[in-house]
Amino acid sequence: MIKSVGQSISAAIEATRLREGGKTRASSTTGSATAAPASTSASPAARMAAEGAPVDMDRIAAIKAAIASGNYPVDAAAIADRMVALDLSAAG
């Protein structure tokens, strides 16, 4: 089954959390209610939210312009192959 966007984002945040502090999902949800300064002990998700999404606005503008002009190539077979490969690796 193909993961939804929410599942993919959750998995990425969890991987970052594990990589940066070895915390588990259970331990991160039972933390204290007081907020710590962002620079010292903020969760990876909180830091990512504060920094904003890593978006290349120039690249997005270029893609939008290419789509609008009809010059954006779409390889349906490559997209399908990649989706199947992602699904198979997630199931395996």
Side-chain angles (χ1 to χ4, degrees):
M1 172 178 266
I2 296 173
K3 293 182 181 179
S4 70
V5 172
Q7 290 172 323
S8 298
I9 292 171
S10 296
I13 291 171
E14 183 65 20
T16 302
R17 181 178 295 127
L18 291 172
R19 191 171 45 247
E20 290 186 2
K23 297 178 184 176
T24 62
R25 186 174 297 187
S27 66
S28 67
T29 59
T30 59
S32 66
T34 59
S39 62
T40 57
S41 64
S43 73
R47 282 195 307 270
M48 289 170 66
E51 294 170 0
V55 177
D56 183 351
M57 295 307 292
D58 293 333
R59 178 75 175 130
I60 290 172
I63 292 171
K64 284 183 176 183
I67 291 170
S69 68
N71 294 324
Y72 188 78
V74 177
D75 185 354
I79 293 169
D81 288 343
R82 181 69 176 152
M83 290 174 69
V84 169
L86 288 171
D87 190 41
L88 290 177
S89 66

